[in-house]
Amino acid sequence: MSRERWDAVDRYIGDMLVGHDEALERALISSAEAGLPAIAVSPPQGKMLHLLARIHGAKSILELGTLGGYSTIWLARALEPEGHLVTLEVEPSYARLATGNLERAGVADRVEQRVGPALASMRSLLDEGAGPFDLIFIDADKPTTPDYFELALELSRPGGVILTDNVVRDGEIADPASEDPRVVGMRRLHELIAVETARGHVSATTIQTVGSKGYDGFTLALVLAG
Ligand code: SAH
Ligand code: DHB
Ligand code: MG
């Protein structure tokens, strides 16, 4: 199956079900114009994140990896009234661009941006007694993902949801010989989740995806009371 076909189907889904929203589309255009990498979630994926947050009734969301704020807008628009989203980004120029996009989308009042390495920001959130969060979306640098997941467990409430992007990496996740640090990170993530599952701390699955972002996948983990 060709990449062109995956793109065509994502366009079809976009036209039929996701719809076209000016603020979301401007966030992608302004990101491209500013030279940010085109690595935001796709529109159908953004809507899936949004729907999961709504199904979950999320009032507090933590996001790792703001980029231009595209997934941030989708998630912030899913918040219950009085809800709050914290988004972490290491690159100050990306965070500045995201600020404008969040303002244009009308969600800036619900979103707190923190600039700096996500691990340090997560430790600060723990020190401040922030959270626990209802939903955490891990989408920053890939090699560090297992460390993010461990801290995400500490920042989650029982019944909380942790979603992780880019876990399948063209199927390389199943290759034990891969030396790509991003793939190694996602294999370590799965090993960690397997241990936490055996301890009764989480229940999780990974879903492979194809689309305009190629062949990749998401991990969905439910945090249990244990
Ligand atoms: N969630 C965004 C895409 C994020 S891309 C969306 O779907 O719209 C990954 C982002 O993680 C990039 O903006 C990158 O700068 C950021 N990043 C990389 N390393 C990081 C780190 N150590 N801490 C926080 N953010 C990081
Ligand atoms: C890439 C894709 C992503 O969704 C992301 O968050 C980071 C990087 C990539 O394809 O390089
Ligand atoms: Mg991603």
Side-chain angles (χ1 to χ4, degrees), residues 37-42 45 64-65 67 137-142 165-166 169 182 213 216:
I39 55 176
V41 292
S42 68
Q45 291 173 345
L64 281 58
L67 193 65
F137 177 45
I138 302 177
D139 193 23
D141 55 306
K142 309 310 162 187
D165 192 20
N166 311 116
R169 316 289 327 177
R182 296 165 300 185
K213 294 210 61 197
D216 215 325

Side-chain angles (χ1 to χ4, degrees), residues 4-25:
E4 290 72 34
R5 177 68 69 93
W6 298 347
D7 279 339
V9 172
D10 260 359
R11 278 197 301 277
Y12 177 75
I13 297 166
D15 290 341
M16 295 299 289
L17 303 181
V18 179
H20 294 280
D21 176 89
E22 199 184 330
L24 282 166
E25 290 178 0

Side-chain angles (χ1 to χ4, degrees), residues 25-173:
E25 290 178 0
R26 279 184 69 188
L28 293 180
I29 292 166
S30 69
S31 298
E33 285 173 353
L36 272 60
I39 55 176
V41 292
S42 68
Q45 291 173 345
K47 180 129 187 212
M48 186 194 73
L49 295 174
H50 171 89
L51 290 172
L52 284 169
R54 278 177 62 186
I55 291 164
H56 193 46
K59 292 188 175 68
S60 57
I61 297 176
L62 174 63
E63 175 181 70
L64 281 58
T66 314
L67 193 65
Y70 182 77
S71 56
T72 321
I73 295 169
W74 273 115
L75 287 167
R77 285 182 171 174
L79 284 166
E80 294 283 315
E82 314 288 304
H84 183 69
L85 185 152
V86 179
T87 185
L88 313 180
E89 173 56 54
V90 76
E91 181 54 57
S93 65
Y94 295 0
R96 270 196 301 278
L97 186 90
T99 303
N101 288 329
L102 296 169
E103 282 167 359
R104 270 193 294 278
V107 298
D109 58 333
R110 279 169 264 172
V111 177
E112 178 190 344
Q113 294 183 259
R114 293 195 180 201
V115 181
L119 268 185
S121 297
M122 293 176 90
R123 292 198 184 104
S124 302
L125 287 166
L126 276 170
D127 289 345
E128 293 163 22
F133 292 91
D134 297 324
L135 187 151
I136 300 181
F137 177 45
I138 302 177
D139 193 23
D141 55 306
K142 309 310 162 187
T144 318
T145 299
D147 306 311
Y148 295 146
F149 190 89
E150 282 191 327
L151 284 172
L153 282 176
E154 291 185 47
L155 285 162
S156 291
R157 67 163 169 84
V161 165
I162 304 174
L163 277 156
T164 306
D165 192 20
N166 311 116
V167 299
V168 172
R169 316 289 327 177
D170 270 315
E172 271 205 73
I173 183 82

